[in-house]
């Protein structure tokens, strides 16, 4: 195990490289989760649809994601899609992570929407709102508040899972740590440094989610 002073010296020496990698990790996480929210909402609506074909499509998507490893999904996007469209490793990883997280977010949204009292829908319809308008103005705001805690957990998982992008050469935090560790024959030092970076990012995200939860609970 390397000494603390040695790890600290390397931390200071390579802070700019790790900072750039941390920013790329944040971009990768933010882009993939934004797309995953759209995917998740779409499949949540399919899942709760009265149309059995739509529901089966959602079940198939969620089943495939749950039944296959994330790294395999990222490889399929990287080696498969890049043969069809011109796509960088960053975007292949983004779509792979979005495809994966979208399934879990779909289940979160489905549960949250179904947890809203049915009387809320009836109240909206009695006011002359269409089904779509009732969903948008009454159901979804309440469902989102209920979904926020599990969504926050999924966001944290998504950020840590972004380290798998290193396996398709995206220069994010874990990739930089393994590269520097190999070139300096000192892998443990750089793994400890990258662990600190991930810990800081997760703590910041946790604080942000907690603040958002409190703010939305106050606005109820």
């Amino acid at each position: 195990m390397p000494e603390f002073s040695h790890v600290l010296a390397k931390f200071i020496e390579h802070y700019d490289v790790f900072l750039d990698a941390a920013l790329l990790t944040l971009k990768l996480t933010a882009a993939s989760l934004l797309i995953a929210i759209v995917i998740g909402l779409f499949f949540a609506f399919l899942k709760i649809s009265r149309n059995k074909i739509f529901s089966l499509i959602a079940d198939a998507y969620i089943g495939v994601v749950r039944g296959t490893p994330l790294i395999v999904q990222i490889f399929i996007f990287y080696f498969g899609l890049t043969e069809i469209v011109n796509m960088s490793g960053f975007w292949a990883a983004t779509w792979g992570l979005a495809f994966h997280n979208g399934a879990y977010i779909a289940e979160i949204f489905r549960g949250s929407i179904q947890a809203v009292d049915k009387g809320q829908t009836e109240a909206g319809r009695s006011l002359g709102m269409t089904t779509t308008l009732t969903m948008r103005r009454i159901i979804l705001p309440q469902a989102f508040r209920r979904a926020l805690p599990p969504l926050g957990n999924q966001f944290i998982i998504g950020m840590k899972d972004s380290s798998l992008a290193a396996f398709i050469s995206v220069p994010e935090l874990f990739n930089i740590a393994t590269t520097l560790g190999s070139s300096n024959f000192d892998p443990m030092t750089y793994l400890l440094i990258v662990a600190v970076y991930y810990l800081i990012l997760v703590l910041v995200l946790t604080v942000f989610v907690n603040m958002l939860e409190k703010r939305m609970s106050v606005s109820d």
Side-chain angles (χ1 to χ4, degrees):
M1 182 68 71
E3 293 181 358
F4 176 76
S5 58
H6 175 70
V7 175
L8 182 61
K10 294 298 179 184
F11 185 95
I12 295 170
E13 181 183 349
H14 297 289
Y15 82 93
D16 53 341
V17 179
F18 276 103
L19 201 56
D20 288 342
L23 289 174
L24 188 66
T25 296
L26 285 175
K27 288 178 185 175
L28 178 62
T29 304
S32 62
L33 290 178
L34 283 175
I35 297 170
I37 288 173
V38 176
I39 293 173
L41 203 52
F42 174 73
F43 279 100
F45 284 132
L46 291 189
K47 180 87 174 178
I48 62 176
S49 169
R50 293 179 180 174
N51 187 314
K52 289 192 174 180
I53 294 176
F54 290 165
S55 182
L56 283 173
I57 291 172
D59 284 339
Y61 163 63
I62 293 168
V64 167
V65 168
R66 285 180 167 175
T68 54
L70 172 56
I71 188 63
V72 173
Q73 295 162 16
I74 291 175
F75 276 13
I76 288 173
F77 272 89
Y78 183 62
F79 293 109
L81 279 185
T82 50
E83 289 187 359
I84 302 170
V85 295
N86 186 16
M87 182 184 295
S88 66
F90 174 86
W91 283 108
T94 297
W95 281 104
L97 288 165
F99 177 81
H100 181 84
N101 285 296
Y104 292 95
I105 291 175
E107 284 291 73
I108 291 171
F109 278 137
R110 178 198 59 77
S112 300
I113 291 170
Q114 290 181 329
V116 177
D117 192 284
K118 290 184 179 177
Q120 298 289 316
T121 303
E122 294 168 359
R125 297 305 303 274
S126 67
L127 291 172
M129 292 183 182
T130 63
T131 303
T132 304
L133 195 60
T134 302
M135 179 63 72
R136 185 161 61 87
R137 290 191 175 177
I138 298 177
I139 305 301
L140 280 183
Q142 296 182 62
F144 184 74
R145 290 190 187 97
R146 294 172 188 269
L148 202 49
L151 272 179
N153 290 332
Q154 192 61 40
F155 290 170
I156 290 169
I157 292 170
M159 175 175 285
K160 291 188 287 187
D161 283 347
S162 69
S163 61
L164 292 176
F167 291 95
I168 56 172
S169 302
V170 177
E172 48 71 63
L173 277 171
F174 185 66
N175 179 289
I176 294 299
T178 53
T179 302
L180 288 173
S182 299
S183 59
N184 291 287
F185 304 103
D186 187 13
M188 185 56 73
T189 295
Y190 295 96
L191 287 175
L192 290 173
I193 291 173
V194 81
V196 172
Y197 271 91
Y198 275 116
L199 184 60
I200 292 171
L201 291 178
V202 168
L203 286 175
V204 170
L205 182 58
T206 302
V207 170
F208 173 74
V209 171
N210 288 339
M211 289 173 62
L212 191 58
E213 281 183 39
K214 286 181 182 176
R215 179 163 186 163
M216 295 197 75
S217 65
V218 168
S219 64
D220 282 344

